[in-house]
């Protein structure tokens, strides 16, 4: 038989309202002796408090909503771990939704989190370059009602806090370092054109090449996935011709370097090169962005721009949950030169 709060009140010899204030965590808790009696009765009867009733009593649910584009992507799972770690330290639980890069699904997730009365919502996926008016209007109402919203990277959401990630400056630093190593021939696997993060990284690559007096041989959009990188890399080879990928011994030009907008695209590009019988890094070099944890399992080791992904998640959670936290908070990373795009000829 289900034990109700009324049963607890009768066992403790108090009113239902008094039992509710004790069990559900209201600020108006009665005298210590009465509160102890109610808690003892609840424990004896095996009563489990109703989460919605607790939220109404405390005006807080101790829930955080987190929306990612793809939970299978190590970029998002690592950020989610950071959010979970910080939230857990604050006694909060994290509700997770994966939008699969679908704006409508992201809006549905936000609406669901609002129905659960989450204290905050973190949007870990890249914003669209053109703001989504339906999402912005929904979040504006949530913020006006006391909810906190945090987005990663470019925000486009009025009144939201955000974590500013070094997407463009990181891409600029990575491409500049590769040019300094002697590479001269580049193609850019730019990711989805509508995503702000992909656009910022492609912009950084292009700016670095222009600063060195170079122009990319090709700029190819594609999905922000391993398959997207695979398809874009194959298309690049079709455009350039297979021989154009290899180092030209007559002109002393080094190998082509594929600059991918994220690591999973870069790994897809490496697979594509192997399917064409090309060797990485001998024939074609590849660089990514993010330094996802699973890179340690891949060979050759991937050159990339390292972002502190778990730290990003923790910073986002702190902005969401600490009432005195104010953004934006800027996060930088580091260039990591590894075997996949190391010093040409080595």
């Amino acid at each position: 038989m289900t034990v109700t709060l009324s049963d607890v009140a009768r066992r403790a010899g108090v009113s239902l309202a008094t039992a509710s204030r004790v069990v559900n965590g209201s600020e108006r808790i009665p005298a210590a002796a009465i509160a102890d009696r109610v808690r003892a009765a609840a424990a004896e009867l095996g009563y489990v408090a109703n989460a919605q009733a607790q939220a109404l009593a405390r005006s807080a649910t101790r829930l955080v909503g987190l929306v990612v584009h793809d939970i299978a992507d190590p970029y998002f799972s690592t950020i989610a771990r950071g959010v979970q770690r910080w939230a857990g330290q604050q006694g909060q639980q994290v509700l997770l939704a994966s939008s699969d890069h679908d704006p409508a699904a992201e809006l549905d997730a936000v609406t669901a989190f609002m129905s659960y009365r989450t204290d905050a919502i973190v949007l870990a996926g890249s914003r669209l370059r053109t703001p989504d008016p339906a999402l912005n209007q929904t979040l504006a109402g949530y913020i006006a009602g006391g909810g906190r919203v945090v987005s990663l990277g470019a925000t486009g959401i009025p009144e939201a806090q955000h974590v500013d990630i070094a997407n463009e400056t990181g891409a600029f630093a990575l491409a500049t370092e590769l040019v300094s190593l002697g590479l001269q021939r580049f193609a850019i696997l730019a990711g989805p054109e509508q995503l702000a993060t992909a656009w910022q990284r492609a912009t950084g690559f292009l700016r670095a090449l222009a600063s060195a007096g170079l122009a990319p041989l090709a700029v190819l959009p594609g999905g922000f996935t391993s398959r997207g990188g695979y398809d874009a890399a194959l298309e690049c080879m079709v455009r350039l011709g297979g021989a154009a990928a290899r180092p030209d011994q007559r002109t002393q030009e080094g190998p082509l370097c594929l600059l991918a907008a994220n690591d999973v695209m870069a790994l897809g590009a490496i697979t594509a090169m192997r399917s064409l019988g090309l060797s990485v890094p001998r024939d074609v070099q590849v660089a990514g962005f993010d330094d996802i944890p699973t890179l340690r399992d891949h060979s050759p080791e991937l050159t990339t721009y390292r972002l502190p992904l778990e730290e990003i998640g923790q910073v986002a959670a702190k902005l969401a949950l600490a009432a005195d936290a104010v953004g934006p908070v800027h996060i930088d990373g580091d260039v990591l030169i590894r075997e996949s795009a190391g010093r040409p000829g080595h």
Side-chain angles (χ1 to χ4, degrees):
M1 184 178 67
T2 301
V3 177
T4 68
L5 188 57
S6 296
D7 297 328
V8 174
R10 283 193 295 271
R11 177 63 63 91
V14 300
S15 69
L16 180 60
T18 296
S20 176
R21 284 194 290 271
V22 174
V23 171
N24 292 322
S26 170
E27 294 179 356
R28 298 172 54 207
I29 295 179
I34 295 175
D36 289 344
R37 198 161 74 238
V38 172
R39 294 189 187 101
E44 181 181 344
L45 295 173
Y47 174 74
V48 177
N50 181 282
Q52 291 181 319
Q54 287 184 326
L56 289 171
R58 292 193 305 251
S59 297
T61 59
R62 307 197 73 77
L63 295 174
V64 180
L66 172 62
V67 187
V68 302
H69 281 333
D70 180 4
I71 193 57
D73 186 331
Y75 173 88
F76 290 112
S77 59
T78 308
I79 288 175
R81 184 169 61 204
V83 172
Q84 175 67 59
R85 179 164 296 179
W86 179 268
Q89 292 171 355
Q90 315 310 309
Q92 302 270 152
Q93 293 297 319
V94 177
L95 302 179
L96 176 65
S98 182
S99 70
D100 197 27
H101 298 275
D102 181 355
E106 183 174 55
L107 179 58
D108 287 344
V110 165
T111 303
F113 290 155
M114 291 172 63
S115 73
Y116 281 103
R117 302 181 69 248
T118 56
D119 299 330
I121 296 174
V122 177
L123 303 174
S126 173
R127 300 298 86 220
L128 297 173
R129 291 174 61 194
T130 302
D132 182 341
L135 178 65
N136 282 5
Q137 183 178 5
T138 301
L139 289 172
Y142 175 73
I143 293 170
R148 290 174 68 87
V149 175
V150 178
S151 70
L152 303 189
T155 171
I157 302 170
E159 305 303 321
Q161 302 288 338
H162 82 279
V163 181
D164 181 36
I165 299 172
N167 288 313
E168 183 175 344
T169 56
F172 179 90
L174 175 58
T176 298
E177 180 68 16
L178 292 172
V179 170
S180 75
L181 296 177
L183 288 169
Q184 301 178 52
R185 305 167 68 236
F186 294 89
I188 298 174
L189 311 183
E193 296 175 295
Q194 72 275 19
L195 287 186
T197 294
W199 179 79
Q200 289 168 342
R201 293 177 182 182
T203 298
F205 290 145
L206 288 167
R207 188 162 60 86
L209 297 184
S211 295
L214 301 172
L217 301 181
V219 178
L220 300 103
F224 233 19
T225 61
S226 176
R227 183 71 198 192
Y230 182 94
D231 291 342
L234 289 183
E235 175 63 22
C236 180
M237 293 301 105
V238 169
R239 290 193 189 184
L240 301 182
R246 300 180 184 274
D248 190 330
Q249 302 301 326
R250 296 167 299 174
T251 63
Q252 301 302 307
E253 287 186 340
L256 173 69
C257 180
L258 301 178
L259 297 171
N262 70 10
D263 287 340
V264 292
M265 290 187 72
L267 296 177
I270 291 174
T271 301
M273 295 303 97
R274 287 174 175 161
S275 74
L276 296 175
L278 296 172
S279 171
V280 177
R282 185 191 66 217
D283 299 323
V284 180
Q285 301 202 348
V286 179
F289 201 109
D290 293 328
D291 195 35
I292 56 176
T294 52
L295 291 186
R296 66 177 64 93
D297 299 325
H298 291 270
S299 179
E301 291 185 321
L302 184 66
T303 289
T304 189
Y305 185 80
R306 184 191 71 86
L307 289 175
L309 298 176
E310 188 166 337
E311 178 187 340
I312 289 172
Q314 292 181 0
V315 168
K318 184 174 182 179
L319 279 176
L321 298 174
D324 59 346
V326 179
V329 177
H330 183 75
I331 302 289
D332 276 314
D334 307 284
V335 173
L336 298 178
I337 301 298
R338 297 184 178 127
E339 184 184 0
S340 72
R343 196 173 296 275
H346 288 248

